[in-house]
Amino acid sequence: MAADRNEATNHSAMLHGGRNMATKLIRLQARISTLMIVLFGVFLGVAALYTAIAGAVIGLIPNIAFAAIAFRHGGARAAPQVVNNFYAGEATKMALTLILFVLAFIVLNGPWFPLFAVFIAITLTHWLAPILHFKSN
């Protein structure tokens, strides 16, 4: 009985910790992309503003979808579900990224540098998260 309660507590803590880290990372990515959007809008004009916003959307929406899918389950008993959710989250993230890039290229007329710059900044932030010492608590 106590073991089940302890496992449930650990499961909740792990799941909450993963969600907390993902939330912190997405907030940081949103702040960085907002700063870049403003800078591109001020220095390069309205067209650059729109493509920078598109770059942020292409970077952030798939990350949010991944986090929502990947952190549905947690704990040792749910290990197969956790792995499956990470695969499903990553597949969803890739598909959304592709679809959003295609839509951006169809709808927008450029300039393309702001779109790629914001998208790359969001992606690099994700890759650098371990170096930035994101903690789950």
Side-chain angles (χ1 to χ4, degrees), residues 25-112:
L25 179 59
I26 290 169
R27 283 184 182 152
L28 176 62
Q29 290 171 329
R31 280 189 233 118
I32 289 169
S33 60
T34 300
L35 175 64
M36 291 180 76
I37 289 166
V38 169
L39 291 174
F40 279 122
V42 168
F43 291 109
L44 298 180
V46 175
L49 177 79
Y50 290 139
T51 57
I53 291 170
V57 168
I58 294 168
L60 291 171
I61 298 297
N63 285 343
I64 292 167
F66 171 82
I69 294 168
F71 295 109
R72 278 193 263 177
H73 299 96
R77 285 188 182 167
Q81 283 181 308
V82 170
V83 171
N84 288 338
N85 286 346
F86 268 77
Y87 283 129
E90 193 59 36
T92 302
K93 181 178 171 180
M94 287 178 173
L96 278 173
T97 302
L98 177 65
I99 290 166
L100 291 171
F101 264 118
V102 168
L103 285 173
F105 291 137
I106 290 171
V107 173
L108 300 171
N109 293 322
W112 301 114

Coordinates of all heavy atoms in Angstrom, one line a residue, residues 25-112:
L25 N 11.3 26.1 -20.9 CA 12.0 26.2 -22.2 C 11.1 26.9 -23.2 O 11.6 27.8 -23.9 CB 12.4 24.8 -22.7 CG 13.1 24.8 -24.0 CD1 14.4 25.6 -23.9 CD2 13.4 23.3 -24.4
I26 N 9.9 26.6 -23.3 CA 9.0 27.2 -24.2 C 8.8 28.7 -23.9 O 8.8 29.5 -24.8 CB 7.6 26.5 -24.3 CG1 7.8 25.1 -25.0 CG2 6.6 27.3 -25.1 CD1 6.7 24.2 -24.9
R27 N 8.7 29.0 -22.7 CA 8.7 30.5 -22.3 C 9.9 31.2 -22.7 O 9.9 32.3 -23.2 CB 8.4 30.6 -20.8 CG 7.0 30.3 -20.4 CD 6.8 30.6 -18.9 NE 5.5 30.2 -18.5 CZ 5.1 29.8 -17.3 NH1 6.0 29.7 -16.4 NH2 3.9 29.5 -17.1
L28 N 11.1 30.6 -22.5 CA 12.3 31.2 -22.9 C 12.3 31.4 -24.4 O 12.7 32.5 -24.9 CB 13.5 30.4 -22.5 CG 14.9 30.9 -22.9 CD1 15.2 32.3 -22.4 CD2 16.0 29.9 -22.5
Q29 N 11.9 30.4 -25.2 CA 11.9 30.4 -26.6 C 10.9 31.5 -27.1 O 11.2 32.3 -28.0 CB 11.5 29.1 -27.2 CG 12.5 28.0 -27.0 CD 12.0 26.7 -27.4 OE1 10.8 26.3 -27.3 NE2 12.9 25.8 -27.9
A30 N 9.8 31.7 -26.4 CA 8.9 32.7 -26.7 C 9.4 34.1 -26.5 O 9.2 35.0 -27.3 CB 7.6 32.5 -25.9
R31 N 10.2 34.3 -25.4 CA 10.8 35.6 -25.1 C 11.8 35.9 -26.1 O 11.9 37.1 -26.6 CB 11.4 35.6 -23.7 CG 10.4 35.8 -22.6 CD 11.1 36.0 -21.3 NE 10.5 35.0 -20.3 CZ 11.1 34.0 -19.7 NH1 12.4 33.9 -19.9 NH2 10.5 33.2 -18.9
I32 N 12.7 35.0 -26.5 CA 13.7 35.2 -27.5 C 13.1 35.5 -28.8 O 13.5 36.5 -29.5 CB 14.7 34.0 -27.6 CG1 15.5 33.9 -26.3 CG2 15.5 34.1 -28.8 CD1 16.3 32.6 -26.2
S33 N 12.1 34.8 -29.2 CA 11.5 35.0 -30.5 C 10.7 36.4 -30.5 O 10.8 37.1 -31.5 CB 10.5 33.9 -30.9 OG 9.5 33.7 -30.0
T34 N 10.1 36.8 -29.4 CA 9.5 38.1 -29.3 C 10.5 39.2 -29.5 O 10.2 40.2 -30.3 CB 8.7 38.3 -28.0 OG1 7.7 37.2 -27.9 CG2 8.1 39.6 -27.9
L35 N 11.6 39.1 -28.8 CA 12.7 40.1 -29.0 C 13.1 40.2 -30.5 O 13.3 41.3 -31.0 CB 13.8 39.8 -28.1 CG 15.1 40.7 -28.2 CD1 14.7 42.1 -27.8 CD2 16.2 40.2 -27.4
M36 N 13.3 39.0 -31.1 CA 13.8 39.0 -32.5 C 12.7 39.6 -33.4 O 13.1 40.3 -34.3 CB 14.2 37.6 -32.9 CG 15.4 37.1 -32.2 SD 15.9 35.4 -32.6 CE 16.6 35.8 -34.3
I37 N 11.5 39.3 -33.2 CA 10.4 39.8 -34.0 C 10.4 41.3 -33.9 O 10.3 42.0 -35.0 CB 9.0 39.2 -33.6 CG1 9.0 37.7 -33.9 CG2 7.9 40.0 -34.1 CD1 7.8 37.0 -33.3
V38 N 10.5 41.9 -32.7 CA 10.5 43.3 -32.6 C 11.7 43.9 -33.3 O 11.5 44.9 -34.1 CB 10.5 43.7 -31.1 CG1 10.7 45.2 -30.9 CG2 9.1 43.3 -30.4
L39 N 12.8 43.3 -33.1 CA 14.0 43.9 -33.8 C 13.9 43.8 -35.3 O 14.3 44.8 -36.0 CB 15.3 43.1 -33.3 CG 15.7 43.4 -31.9 CD1 16.8 42.5 -31.5 CD2 16.0 44.9 -31.6
F40 N 13.5 42.7 -35.8 CA 13.3 42.6 -37.3 C 12.2 43.6 -37.8 O 12.4 44.2 -38.8 CB 12.9 41.2 -37.7 CG 14.1 40.2 -37.8 CD1 14.1 39.1 -37.1 CD2 15.2 40.5 -38.6 CE1 15.2 38.2 -37.1 CE2 16.3 39.7 -38.7 CZ 16.3 38.5 -37.9
G41 N 11.2 43.7 -37.0 CA 10.1 44.7 -37.4 C 10.6 46.1 -37.5 O 10.4 46.9 -38.4
V42 N 11.4 46.5 -36.4 CA 11.9 47.9 -36.3 C 13.0 48.2 -37.4 O 12.9 49.2 -38.1 CB 12.5 48.1 -34.9 CG1 13.3 49.4 -34.9 CG2 11.4 48.1 -33.9
F43 N 13.9 47.2 -37.6 CA 15.0 47.5 -38.5 C 14.8 47.1 -39.9 O 15.4 47.7 -40.8 CB 16.3 46.8 -38.0 CG 16.8 47.5 -36.7 CD1 16.7 46.8 -35.5 CD2 17.3 48.7 -36.7 CE1 17.1 47.4 -34.3 CE2 17.8 49.3 -35.5 CZ 17.7 48.6 -34.3
L44 N 13.9 46.1 -40.2 CA 13.7 45.7 -41.6 C 12.3 45.9 -42.1 O 12.0 45.6 -43.3 CB 14.1 44.2 -41.7 CG 15.6 43.9 -41.4 CD1 15.8 42.4 -41.6 CD2 16.5 44.7 -42.3
G45 N 11.4 46.3 -41.3 CA 10.0 46.7 -41.8 C 9.0 45.6 -41.6 O 9.2 44.5 -41.0
V46 N 7.8 45.9 -42.1 CA 6.6 45.1 -41.9 C 6.8 43.7 -42.5 O 6.4 42.7 -41.9 CB 5.4 45.8 -42.5 CG1 4.1 44.9 -42.4 CG2 5.1 47.1 -41.7
A47 N 7.3 43.6 -43.7 CA 7.5 42.3 -44.4 C 8.3 41.4 -43.5 O 8.0 40.2 -43.3 CB 8.0 42.4 -45.8
A48 N 9.4 41.9 -43.0 CA 10.3 41.1 -42.1 C 9.6 40.8 -40.8 O 9.8 39.7 -40.3 CB 11.6 41.9 -41.8
L49 N 8.8 41.7 -40.3 CA 8.0 41.4 -39.1 C 7.1 40.1 -39.3 O 7.1 39.2 -38.5 CB 7.1 42.6 -38.8 CG 6.2 42.4 -37.6 CD1 7.0 42.6 -36.3 CD2 5.1 43.5 -37.7
Y50 N 6.4 40.1 -40.5 CA 5.5 39.0 -40.7 C 6.3 37.6 -40.9 O 5.9 36.6 -40.4 CB 4.7 39.2 -42.0 CG 3.6 40.2 -41.8 CD1 3.4 41.2 -42.8 CD2 2.9 40.3 -40.7 CE1 2.4 42.1 -42.7 CE2 1.9 41.3 -40.5 CZ 1.7 42.2 -41.5 OH 0.7 43.2 -41.4
T51 N 7.4 37.7 -41.6 CA 8.2 36.4 -41.7 C 8.8 36.0 -40.4 O 8.9 34.8 -40.1 CB 9.2 36.5 -42.8 OG1 10.1 37.6 -42.6 CG2 8.6 36.7 -44.2
A52 N 9.2 37.0 -39.6 CA 9.8 36.7 -38.2 C 8.7 36.0 -37.4 O 8.9 35.0 -36.6 CB 10.3 37.9 -37.6
I53 N 7.5 36.5 -37.4 CA 6.3 35.9 -36.7 C 6.1 34.5 -37.2 O 5.9 33.6 -36.4 CB 5.1 36.8 -36.8 CG1 5.2 38.1 -36.1 CG2 3.8 36.0 -36.3 CD1 4.1 39.1 -36.3
A54 N 6.2 34.3 -38.5 CA 6.0 33.0 -39.0 C 7.1 32.0 -38.5 O 6.8 30.9 -38.2 CB 6.0 33.0 -40.6
G55 N 8.3 32.5 -38.4 CA 9.4 31.7 -37.9 C 9.2 31.3 -36.5 O 9.4 30.2 -36.1
A56 N 8.6 32.2 -35.7 CA 8.3 31.9 -34.3 C 7.2 30.9 -34.2 O 7.2 30.0 -33.4 CB 7.9 33.2 -33.5
V57 N 6.2 31.0 -35.0 CA 5.0 30.1 -35.0 C 5.5 28.7 -35.4 O 5.2 27.7 -34.8 CB 3.9 30.6 -36.0 CG1 2.9 29.5 -36.2 CG2 3.2 31.8 -35.4
I58 N 6.4 28.7 -36.5 CA 6.9 27.4 -36.9 C 7.8 26.7 -35.9 O 7.8 25.5 -35.7 CB 7.7 27.6 -38.2 CG1 6.8 28.0 -39.4 CG2 8.5 26.3 -38.6 CD1 7.6 28.5 -40.6
G59 N 8.5 27.5 -35.1 CA 9.3 27.0 -34.0 C 8.5 26.6 -32.7 O 8.8 25.6 -32.1
L60 N 7.6 27.4 -32.4 CA 6.9 27.3 -31.1 C 5.8 26.3 -31.1 O 5.6 25.4 -30.2 CB 6.4 28.6 -30.5 CG 7.5 29.6 -30.1 CD1 6.9 31.0 -29.8 CD2 8.3 29.1 -28.9
I61 N 4.9 26.4 -32.1 CA 3.7 25.5 -32.1 C 4.1 24.0 -32.1 O 3.6 23.2 -31.3 CB 2.8 25.8 -33.3 CG1 2.3 27.3 -33.2 CG2 1.7 24.8 -33.4 CD1 1.4 27.6 -32.0
P62 N 5.0 23.5 -32.9 CA 5.4 22.1 -32.8 C 6.0 21.8 -31.5 O 5.8 20.6 -31.0 CB 6.4 22.0 -34.0 CG 6.1 23.0 -34.9 CD 5.6 24.2 -34.1
N63 N 6.8 22.7 -30.9 CA 7.4 22.4 -29.5 C 6.3 22.2 -28.5 O 6.4 21.4 -27.6 CB 8.4 23.5 -29.1 CG 9.7 23.4 -29.9 OD1 10.0 22.3 -30.4 ND2 10.4 24.4 -29.9
I64 N 5.3 23.1 -28.6 CA 4.2 23.0 -27.6 C 3.4 21.7 -27.8 O 3.1 21.0 -26.8 CB 3.2 24.2 -27.8 CG1 3.9 25.5 -27.3 CG2 1.9 24.0 -27.0 CD1 3.2 26.8 -27.7
A65 N 3.2 21.3 -29.1 CA 2.5 20.1 -29.4 C 3.3 18.9 -28.8 O 2.8 17.9 -28.2 CB 2.2 19.9 -30.9
F66 N 4.6 18.9 -29.1 CA 5.5 17.8 -28.6 C 5.4 17.7 -27.0 O 5.2 16.6 -26.5 CB 7.0 18.1 -28.9 CG 7.9 17.1 -28.2 CD1 8.1 15.9 -28.7 CD2 8.6 17.5 -27.1 CE1 8.9 15.0 -28.1 CE2 9.4 16.6 -26.4 CZ 9.6 15.4 -26.9
A67 N 5.5 18.8 -26.3 CA 5.4 18.8 -24.9 C 4.1 18.3 -24.4 O 4.0 17.5 -23.4 CB 5.7 20.2 -24.3
A68 N 3.0 18.7 -25.0 CA 1.7 18.2 -24.6 C 1.5 16.7 -24.8 O 0.9 16.0 -24.0 CB 0.6 18.9 -25.5
I69 N 2.1 16.2 -25.9 CA 2.0 14.7 -26.2 C 3.0 13.9 -25.3 O 2.6 12.9 -24.7 CB 2.2 14.5 -27.7 CG1 1.1 15.1 -28.5 CG2 2.3 13.0 -27.9 CD1 1.3 15.1 -30.0
A70 N 4.2 14.4 -25.3 CA 5.3 13.7 -24.6 C 5.1 13.5 -23.1 O 5.4 12.5 -22.5 CB 6.6 14.3 -24.9
F71 N 4.4 14.5 -22.5 CA 4.3 14.5 -21.0 C 2.9 14.1 -20.5 O 2.5 14.6 -19.5 CB 4.8 15.8 -20.4 CG 6.3 16.0 -20.7 CD1 6.7 17.0 -21.6 CD2 7.2 15.2 -20.0 CE1 8.0 17.2 -21.8 CE2 8.6 15.4 -20.3 CZ 9.0 16.4 -21.1
R72 N 2.2 13.3 -21.3 CA 0.9 12.8 -20.9 C 1.0 11.8 -19.8 O 0.1 11.7 -18.9 CB 0.1 12.2 -22.1 CG -0.5 13.2 -22.9 CD -1.5 12.5 -23.9 NE -0.8 12.3 -25.1 CZ -1.3 11.7 -26.2 NH1 -2.5 11.2 -26.1 NH2 -0.6 11.6 -27.3
H73 N 2.0 10.9 -19.8 CA 2.2 9.8 -18.9 C 3.6 9.9 -18.3 O 4.5 10.4 -18.9 CB 2.0 8.5 -19.5 CG 0.6 8.3 -20.1 ND1 0.4 8.5 -21.4 CD2 -0.5 7.9 -19.5 CE1 -0.9 8.3 -21.6 NE2 -1.5 7.9 -20.5
G74 N 3.7 9.3 -17.1 CA 5.1 9.2 -16.5 C 5.1 8.1 -15.5 O 4.1 7.5 -15.1
G75 N 6.3 7.8 -15.0 CA 6.5 6.7 -14.0 C 6.9 5.4 -14.6 O 6.8 5.2 -15.8
A76 N 7.4 4.6 -13.7 CA 8.0 3.3 -14.2 C 6.9 2.4 -14.8 O 7.2 1.7 -15.8 CB 8.6 2.6 -13.0
R77 N 5.7 2.3 -14.3 CA 4.7 1.5 -14.8 C 4.3 1.9 -16.2 O 3.8 1.1 -17.0 CB 3.5 1.4 -13.9 CG 3.7 0.6 -12.7 CD 2.4 0.5 -11.9 NE 2.6 -0.3 -10.7 CZ 1.8 -0.3 -9.7 NH1 0.6 0.3 -9.8 NH2 2.0 -1.0 -8.6
A78 N 4.4 3.2 -16.5 CA 3.9 3.7 -17.8 C 5.1 3.8 -18.7 O 4.9 4.5 -19.7 CB 3.2 5.0 -17.6
A79 N 6.2 3.2 -18.5 CA 7.4 3.3 -19.3 C 7.1 3.1 -20.8 O 7.6 3.9 -21.6 CB 8.5 2.4 -18.8
P80 N 6.4 2.1 -21.2 CA 6.1 1.9 -22.6 C 5.3 3.1 -23.2 O 5.5 3.5 -24.3 CB 5.3 0.6 -22.7 CG 5.7 -0.2 -21.5 CD 6.0 0.9 -20.4
Q81 N 4.3 3.5 -22.4 CA 3.5 4.7 -22.9 C 4.4 5.9 -23.0 O 4.2 6.7 -23.9 CB 2.4 4.9 -21.9 CG 1.2 4.0 -22.0 CD 0.1 4.3 -21.1 OE1 0.4 4.5 -19.9 NE2 -1.1 4.5 -21.6
V82 N 5.3 6.1 -22.1 CA 6.2 7.3 -22.1 C 7.0 7.3 -23.4 O 7.1 8.3 -24.1 CB 7.1 7.3 -20.8 CG1 8.2 8.4 -21.0 CG2 6.3 7.6 -19.6
V83 N 7.6 6.1 -23.7 CA 8.4 6.0 -24.9 C 7.5 6.3 -26.1 O 7.9 7.0 -27.0 CB 9.1 4.7 -25.0 CG1 9.8 4.4 -26.3 CG2 10.1 4.5 -23.9
N84 N 6.4 5.6 -26.2 CA 5.5 5.8 -27.3 C 5.0 7.3 -27.4 O 4.9 7.8 -28.6 CB 4.3 4.9 -27.2 CG 4.6 3.5 -27.5 OD1 5.6 3.2 -28.1 ND2 3.8 2.6 -26.9
N85 N 4.8 7.9 -26.3 CA 4.4 9.3 -26.4 C 5.5 10.2 -26.9 O 5.2 11.2 -27.6 CB 3.9 9.8 -25.0 CG 2.6 9.3 -24.6 OD1 1.8 8.8 -25.5 ND2 2.2 9.4 -23.4
F86 N 6.7 9.9 -26.5 CA 7.9 10.7 -27.0 C 8.0 10.5 -28.5 O 8.2 11.5 -29.3 CB 9.2 10.4 -26.3 CG 9.4 11.2 -25.1 CD1 8.7 11.0 -23.9 CD2 10.3 12.3 -25.2 CE1 9.0 11.9 -22.8 CE2 10.5 13.1 -24.1 CZ 9.9 12.9 -22.9
Y87 N 7.8 9.3 -29.0 CA 7.9 9.1 -30.5 C 6.7 9.8 -31.2 O 6.9 10.4 -32.2 CB 7.9 7.6 -30.8 CG 9.2 6.8 -30.6 CD1 9.2 5.7 -29.8 CD2 10.3 7.3 -31.1 CE1 10.4 5.0 -29.6 CE2 11.5 6.7 -30.9 CZ 11.6 5.5 -30.2 OH 12.8 4.9 -30.0
A88 N 5.5 9.7 -30.6 CA 4.4 10.3 -31.2 C 4.5 11.8 -31.2 O 4.2 12.5 -32.2 CB 3.1 9.9 -30.5
G89 N 5.1 12.3 -30.1 CA 5.3 13.8 -30.0 C 6.3 14.3 -31.0 O 6.1 15.3 -31.6
E90 N 7.4 13.5 -31.2 CA 8.4 13.9 -32.1 C 7.9 13.8 -33.6 O 8.2 14.7 -34.4 CB 9.7 13.1 -32.0 CG 10.9 13.6 -32.7 CD 11.3 15.0 -32.3 OE1 11.2 15.3 -31.1 OE2 11.8 15.7 -33.1
A91 N 7.1 12.8 -33.9 CA 6.5 12.7 -35.2 C 5.6 13.8 -35.5 O 5.6 14.4 -36.6 CB 5.8 11.3 -35.4
T92 N 4.8 14.2 -34.5 CA 3.8 15.3 -34.6 C 4.6 16.6 -34.8 O 4.2 17.4 -35.6 CB 2.9 15.4 -33.4 OG1 2.2 14.2 -33.2 CG2 2.0 16.6 -33.5
K93 N 5.7 16.8 -34.0 CA 6.5 18.0 -34.1 C 7.1 18.1 -35.6 O 7.0 19.2 -36.1 CB 7.6 17.9 -33.1 CG 8.5 19.1 -33.1 CD 9.5 19.0 -32.0 CE 10.6 20.0 -32.1 NZ 11.6 19.9 -31.0
M94 N 7.6 17.0 -36.1 CA 8.2 17.1 -37.4 C 7.1 17.4 -38.5 O 7.4 18.2 -39.4 CB 8.9 15.7 -37.8 CG 10.1 15.5 -37.1 SD 10.7 13.8 -37.6 CE 12.2 13.7 -36.9
A95 N 6.0 16.7 -38.4 CA 4.9 17.0 -39.4 C 4.4 18.4 -39.3 O 4.2 19.0 -40.3 CB 3.8 16.0 -39.1
L96 N 4.2 18.9 -38.1 CA 3.7 20.3 -38.0 C 4.7 21.3 -38.5 O 4.4 22.3 -39.2 CB 3.4 20.6 -36.5 CG 2.1 20.2 -35.9 CD1 2.0 20.4 -34.4 CD2 1.0 20.9 -36.6
T97 N 6.0 21.0 -38.2 CA 7.1 21.9 -38.7 C 7.1 21.9 -40.2 O 7.1 23.0 -40.8 CB 8.5 21.5 -38.2 OG1 8.4 21.4 -36.8 CG2 9.6 22.4 -38.7
L98 N 7.0 20.8 -40.8 CA 6.9 20.7 -42.3 C 5.7 21.5 -42.9 O 5.8 22.3 -43.8 CB 6.9 19.3 -42.8 CG 6.8 19.0 -44.3 CD1 8.1 19.6 -45.0 CD2 6.6 17.6 -44.6
I99 N 4.6 21.2 -42.3 CA 3.3 21.8 -42.8 C 3.4 23.3 -42.6 O 3.0 24.1 -43.5 CB 2.1 21.2 -42.0 CG1 1.9 19.8 -42.5 CG2 0.8 22.1 -42.3 CD1 0.9 19.0 -41.6
L100 N 3.9 23.8 -41.5 CA 4.0 25.2 -41.2 C 5.0 25.9 -42.2 O 4.7 27.0 -42.6 CB 4.3 25.5 -39.8 CG 3.1 25.1 -38.8 CD1 3.6 25.3 -37.4 CD2 1.9 26.0 -39.0
F101 N 6.1 25.2 -42.4 CA 7.0 25.8 -43.4 C 6.4 25.9 -44.8 O 6.5 27.0 -45.5 CB 8.3 25.0 -43.5 CG 9.4 25.5 -42.7 CD1 10.0 24.7 -41.7 CD2 10.0 26.7 -42.9 CE1 11.0 25.1 -40.9 CE2 11.1 27.1 -42.1 CZ 11.6 26.3 -41.1
V102 N 5.7 24.9 -45.2 CA 5.1 24.9 -46.5 C 4.0 26.0 -46.6 O 4.0 26.8 -47.6 CB 4.4 23.5 -46.9 CG1 3.5 23.6 -48.1 CG2 5.5 22.5 -47.1
L103 N 3.2 26.2 -45.5 CA 2.2 27.2 -45.5 C 2.9 28.6 -45.6 O 2.4 29.5 -46.2 CB 1.4 27.1 -44.3 CG 0.3 26.1 -44.3 CD1 -0.4 26.0 -42.9 CD2 -0.7 26.3 -45.3
A104 N 4.0 28.8 -44.8 CA 4.7 30.1 -44.8 C 5.2 30.4 -46.2 O 5.1 31.5 -46.7 CB 5.9 30.0 -43.8
F105 N 5.8 29.4 -46.9 CA 6.3 29.7 -48.3 C 5.2 29.9 -49.3 O 5.4 30.7 -50.2 CB 7.2 28.5 -48.7 CG 8.5 28.4 -48.0 CD1 8.9 27.2 -47.6 CD2 9.2 29.5 -47.7 CE1 10.1 27.1 -46.9 CE2 10.4 29.4 -47.0 CZ 10.9 28.2 -46.6
I106 N 4.0 29.4 -49.0 CA 2.9 29.6 -49.9 C 2.3 31.0 -49.7 O 2.0 31.7 -50.6 CB 1.8 28.5 -49.8 CG1 2.3 27.2 -50.3 CG2 0.5 28.9 -50.4 CD1 1.4 26.0 -50.0
V107 N 2.1 31.4 -48.4 CA 1.4 32.6 -48.1 C 2.3 33.8 -48.1 O 1.8 34.9 -48.5 CB 0.7 32.4 -46.6 CG1 0.1 33.7 -46.2 CG2 -0.3 31.3 -46.7
L108 N 3.5 33.7 -47.6 CA 4.4 34.9 -47.5 C 5.3 35.1 -48.7 O 5.5 34.1 -49.5 CB 5.2 34.8 -46.3 CG 4.5 34.7 -44.9 CD1 5.4 34.3 -43.8 CD2 3.7 35.9 -44.6
N109 N 5.7 36.3 -48.9 CA 6.6 36.6 -50.1 C 8.0 36.9 -49.6 O 8.8 37.4 -50.4 CB 6.0 37.8 -50.9 CG 4.7 37.4 -51.5 OD1 4.6 36.3 -52.0 ND2 3.8 38.3 -51.5
G110 N 8.4 36.7 -48.4 CA 9.7 37.0 -47.9 C 9.7 38.4 -47.3 O 8.7 39.1 -47.2
P111 N 10.8 38.9 -46.8 CA 12.2 38.3 -46.8 C 12.3 37.0 -45.9 O 11.6 37.0 -44.9 CB 13.1 39.4 -46.3 CG 12.2 40.2 -45.4 CD 10.8 40.1 -46.0
W112 N 13.1 36.1 -46.3 CA 13.2 34.8 -45.7 C 14.1 34.8 -44.5 O 14.0 33.9 -43.6 CB 13.5 33.7 -46.7 CG 12.4 33.6 -47.7 CD1 12.5 33.9 -49.0 CD2 11.0 33.4 -47.5 NE1 11.3 33.8 -49.7 CE2 10.4 33.5 -48.8 CE3 10.2 33.1 -46.4 CZ2 9.0 33.3 -49.0 CZ3 8.9 32.8 -46.6 CH2 8.3 32.9 -47.9

